[in-house]
């Protein structure tokens, strides 16, 4: 039988969609549908693991209602229980059984809570370390400030002592005193020409007295014997003039 020739004037030929690019869109859609069918076929043919099979069987059993063959359900029925009825004498109990929380992993009980708690503990430890580090830095800064202040006070006291020694030597020599009462009352010969700001490491070798004790003793000596106040830089006429016009015998009294 010969094939019928297409009627170019028929409605089926005239109504064909001949928009540009349409065949390409159709082929893309067909390709996507083919891929989806192939995925479904692969999923069906894929061999399930033991865990997946166990989960599937478990879900199937849990979804199905208990039958009369179940001993517990049979006992409830004997006591007047009907399927779908709440438990309890007053009918205020649960209707559905308590859901099961199946543990499929091999970790011990409480492992999940421990995993949640570990990041919190790490964060708390990190905060404690930061706090301790901050405290250590603050303590180190305080200690440095104290040491620096003490060093400054010590240097100032050493300078005041050298001034007192120089003043004592000059005043003693004005009274024809050739030998100091104590060797450290005067500056040693090699120290006279040194700058007042220069450090002296060995000026206390001849005595066990500290710089502050030497300064206090020498200040009292100058006031009693020469009526001189190192802090005022003034020589008074007598002890009465000194006591009435000088604020005191320490640097703090003259601030």
């Amino acid at each position: 039988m010969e094939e019928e020739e297409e009627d170019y004037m028929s409605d089926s030929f005239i109504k064909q969609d001949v928009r540009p690019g349409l065949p390409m869109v159709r082929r893309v859609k067909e390709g996507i549908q083919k891929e989806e069918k192939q995925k479904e076929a692969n999923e069906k043919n894929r061999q399930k693991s033991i865990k997946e099979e166990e989960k599937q069987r478990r879900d199937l059993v849990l979804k199905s209602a208990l039958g009369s063959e179940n001993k517990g359900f049979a006992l409830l029925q004997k006591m007047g229980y009907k399927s779908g009825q709440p438990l309890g004498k007053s009918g205020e109990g649960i209707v559905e059984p308590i859901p099961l929380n199946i543990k499929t992993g091999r970790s011990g009980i409480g492992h999940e809570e421990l995993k949640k708690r570990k990041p919190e503990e790490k964060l708390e430890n990190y905060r404690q370390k930061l706090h301790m580090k901050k405290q250590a830095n603050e303590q180190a800064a305080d200690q440095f400030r104290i040491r620096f202040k003490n060093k400054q006070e010590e240097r100032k006291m050493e300078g005041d002592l050298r001034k007192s020694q120089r003043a004592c030597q000059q005043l003693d020599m004005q009274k024809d005193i050739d030998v100091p009462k104590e060797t450290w009352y005067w500056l040693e010969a090699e120290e006279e020409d040194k700058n007042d700001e220069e450090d002296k490491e060995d000026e206390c070798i001849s005595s066990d007295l500290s710089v502050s004790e030497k300064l206090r003793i020498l200040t009292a000596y100058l006031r009693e014997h020469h009526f001189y106040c190192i802090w005022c830089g003034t020589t008074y006429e007598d002890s009465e003039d000194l006591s009435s016009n000088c604020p005191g015998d320490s640097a703090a009294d003259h601030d």
Side-chain angles (χ1 to χ4, degrees), residues 144-162 196-197 199 203 210-213 215 231 251-252 255:
F144 173 78
R145 284 192 290 267
I146 293 171
R147 287 196 302 268
F148 184 74
K149 183 179 179 181
N150 292 339
K151 191 67 176 177
Q152 283 185 321
E153 292 177 353
E154 184 180 352
R155 287 179 178 176
K156 184 179 182 300
M157 200 174 295
E158 289 174 355
D160 292 338
L161 178 60
R162 286 193 292 273
D196 287 345
E197 299 298 326
D199 292 333
E203 68 178 349
S210 65
V211 175
S212 61
E213 290 173 335
L215 181 61
W231 316 113
D255 289 342

Side-chain angles (χ1 to χ4, degrees), residues 158-250:
E158 289 174 355
D160 292 338
L161 178 60
R162 286 193 292 273
K163 291 177 183 177
S164 300
Q165 289 172 326
R166 186 175 291 107
C168 181
Q169 185 175 0
Q170 291 175 356
L171 293 171
D172 282 348
M173 291 178 71
Q174 288 176 6
K175 291 185 177 183
D176 297 329
I177 300 174
D178 297 330
V179 179
K181 185 177 179 180
E182 297 287 344
T183 55
W184 56 268
Y185 273 31
W186 293 5
L187 285 173
E188 294 181 8
E190 64 270 15
E191 292 179 348
E192 291 182 358
D193 297 330
K194 290 186 178 179
N195 192 293
D196 287 345
E197 299 298 326
E198 186 177 359
D199 292 333
K200 308 284 191 305
E201 296 181 357
D202 58 348
E203 68 178 349
C204 297
I205 294 176
S206 60
S207 176
D208 294 333
L209 295 174
S210 65
V211 175
S212 61
E213 290 173 335
K214 284 185 176 184
L215 181 61
R216 179 179 56 79
I217 294 171
L218 191 54
T219 301
Y221 173 81
L222 291 171
R223 293 174 68 88
E224 292 174 5
H225 291 80
H226 298 292
F227 311 117
Y228 178 77
C229 177
I230 183 65
W231 316 113
C232 299
T234 304
T235 302
Y236 295 91
E237 294 181 0
D238 50 28
S239 59
E240 184 178 351
D241 185 26
L242 175 65
S243 59
S244 60
N245 294 308
C246 182
D249 59 354
S250 66

Side-chain angles (χ1 to χ4, degrees), residues 5-16:
E5 294 183 358
E6 291 184 357
D7 187 0
Y8 295 103
M9 299 301 293
S10 64
D11 293 338
S12 59
F13 186 82
I14 293 173
K15 291 180 180 180
Q16 288 183 5

Side-chain angles (χ1 to χ4, degrees), residues 28 37 163:
V28 171
K37 289 180 180 179
K163 291 177 183 177

